[in-house]
Amino acid sequence: MQNTALLLVDIQNDYFPNGRMELHETHRAAANARSVLDVFRREQLPLFHIQHLSVQPGATFFIPGTGGEDIHETVAPLPDETVITKNYPNSFRDTQLLSLLHEAGIENLIICGMMSHMCIDATTRAAVDYGFRCTVIEDACTSPNLSVRGRTIPATDVHDAFMAALGSLYADIQTVEVFLQGTKK
């Protein structure tokens, strides 16, 4: 995993039960992300926690000072780990992420987090545009149900559609099991 970094995107309290924007099976996705995080910590590989803060008028979740914006305890950063705050779905937009990755000589990104159809999609596509090779750990990501033309699209279908789209051109899509097998020495 030379020249590889982990991005943990928006695994924050508001996405969990009793949060302001509950997603589908967040505890499962967070536990899988934690398994990946444990590998990076054990191997002392670069990792970045991405935290979305909503600062736009009318925002309904990730509002600073509510606790919902905090990174969930399952993947909470250690004191020496980098936390990058962002205000847009794309983790690179108006943040120091790109410069930090370049400074560290990173070429490959392992991406986990929330929401598959929004911040994971935007961040992965931007990363590829910047020249990174990306792997998305699909079962360490999740989405909510969405609606279009009066029809509800189940969260699992939303997630699967975005993983299929990213996998067609932008990223290697893996399960946590496959990823962990590839890291065994």
Side-chain angles (χ1 to χ4, degrees), residues 36 135-140 173-181:
V36 176
T135 299
V136 175
I137 308 301
E138 66 93 6
D139 53 352
I173 306 300
Q174 293 184 9
T175 63
V176 70
E177 181 181 3
V178 168
F179 173 79
L180 293 174
Q181 287 174 354

Side-chain angles (χ1 to χ4, degrees), residues 103-122:
E103 287 171 19
I106 301 302
E107 298 173 3
N108 308 297
L109 297 174
I110 306 298
I111 301 171
C112 302
M114 302 171 186
M115 295 186 282
S116 306
H117 72 287
M118 187 64 65
C119 298
I120 298 303
D121 182 64

